[in-house]
Every structure is written in C-alpha cells, then in structure tokens.
Amino acid sequence: MAALFIHFLGGIGWGWTAPTILKLQSVNSDFRISKRKISWLVSIGEIGRMASTILSPSLVDNLGRKGCMVFGSLLYIVVWGTIIYTRNVYILLTARFLFGFVEGMADVASIIYTAETCSPNFRGTAAGALVLSLLAGLTLDFY
C-alpha cells in the first residue's frame, strides 16, 4: 500500500506542472515567472530524480524499503506545503528538485520492496499496479 501511495503522489506531482504553467503565465496571476524559469520548473524535477540515484541505494539500505517510502511520503508533504505557500521562484524550484529526488528514491525503494514481498506469480500484477497508481495521480491533476 505504501508503494502505491507514493507513486500516486508522484503522479500528482508530475502532472501538476501542465495546468499550473497556464495559471502562472496568466495576466491575472499574482505570481508571474519568466518562460525561462518555467522551463526550469518543469525540468528540475528530472535533475533531482537523476541526483537521487547516487543516494537512493544507501537510503534504502539504511532506512529499509518501506521506511524509505514512508520517509518519501513525509517529504512529499513538505514539498507540497512549500509549493502551496511560497511566493519565491527559487524556493519553488528547490521544492521541485526535492520532489524529483523523492520520486527517484521511491522508484528504487518500491521496486525492491515489491520484488522482495510479492510471490513470483504476483510480481507482474504488483508492478502494473504501481504504474496504474502513478497514472491515477496524473489523471487527478486534470480534474
């Protein structure tokens, strides 16, 4: 369940930028940023995801697979709180970087956790459920 939840939260985060960019570029927006910073806003999450590949294996070993996913879920709460309340573009970019880092960490932890806890006959279904959970989060952004 923890693996499904963290991928659902990841889907929400990846889809968040598409509808938000239109709002940020609106003339009525009180938080306007340049097109260059918008491109950074969209891409810096992937940079964070790449950076997580360096630390994720040691985090997964030290915190445990499930512990790493719970820690990631808590970091998502911090990230979303920061995104909701900030009016500084650099803090927003930092939150998006951290989001990508957590998503990369969750990818590693959830796949290892699923492989270790599921029977061989159920692993494919469980992996498919992780992808569906991510897509459900993406879909939720557009409603």
Side-chain angles (χ1 to χ4, degrees):
M1 199 64 177
L4 292 174
F5 183 65
I6 199 159
H7 278 282
F8 179 76
L9 292 175
I12 291 171
W14 289 121
W16 170 80
T17 54
T20 304
I21 288 170
L22 295 175
K23 292 178 184 175
L24 291 175
Q25 291 178 327
S26 169
V27 292
N28 298 331
S29 175
D30 61 341
F31 185 72
R32 293 185 45 103
I33 60 177
S34 67
K35 289 185 180 188
R36 182 181 176 130
K37 288 194 174 97
I38 285 175
S39 67
W40 272 105
L41 182 68
V42 173
S43 61
I44 200 162
E46 291 296 333
I47 296 169
R49 195 175 205 166
M50 288 187 302
S52 75
T53 60
I54 298 166
L55 294 176
S56 291
S58 62
L59 286 172
V60 168
D61 285 341
N62 291 328
L63 296 176
R65 284 76 168 134
K66 188 174 183 179
C68 202
M69 289 184 293
V70 170
F71 176 67
S73 296
L74 294 174
L75 284 177
Y76 273 146
I77 293 169
V78 171
V79 165
W80 282 110
T82 303
I83 288 172
I84 290 169
Y85 293 109
T86 190
R87 292 293 175 236
N88 184 315
V89 69
Y90 297 106
I91 293 173
L92 184 61
L93 291 170
T94 304
R96 290 293 296 170
F97 178 86
L98 183 60
F99 166 80
F101 185 88
V102 172
E103 183 61 23
M105 182 181 66
D107 287 345
V108 172
S110 63
I111 291 169
I112 295 171
Y113 180 75
T114 301
E116 291 178 347
T117 59
C118 291
S119 68
N121 295 336
F122 188 63
R123 284 185 192 147
T125 304
L130 293 175
V131 173
L132 288 175
S133 178
L134 181 94
L135 294 175
L138 277 168
T139 303
L140 182 67
D141 278 328
F142 296 100
Y143 286 102

